[in-house]
Amino acid sequence: MPATSGTTTQTGAHAVVADATDPARRPDVLFRVRREEGQQPSAWWMIGAFVGVSAAVIFLLSFVPGGA
């Protein structure tokens, strides 16, 4: 049944957001963690991950025939 004007419907997502007391630990947000000061991962991990994934992609692309 369609909603009539003047009424609002509340989905499950709206209920979760409305009940959230700590936005970093909302159940609808995956992989977001609030850490204490000084516990953040080093930026070098992200740089290393980028270099590693790039090297793996280049290595795997070397098996594609017809490359330069």
Side-chain angles (χ1 to χ4, degrees):
M1 180 161 56
T4 59
S5 63
T7 62
T8 59
T9 58
Q10 186 175 18
T11 64
H14 289 116
V16 168
V17 172
D19 294 338
T21 56
D22 185 1
R25 290 183 170 80
R26 287 190 336 218
D28 62 330
V29 179
L30 298 176
F31 306 120
R32 185 184 297 176
V33 178
R34 179 173 290 164
R35 294 183 173 90
E36 296 298 325
E37 187 64 33
Q39 296 297 319
Q40 290 84 3
S42 172
W44 289 106
W45 283 106
M46 298 301 148
I47 294 169
F50 174 78
V51 170
V53 169
S54 299
V57 168
I58 291 169
F59 175 74
L60 292 173
L61 285 176
S62 69
F63 292 108
V64 175

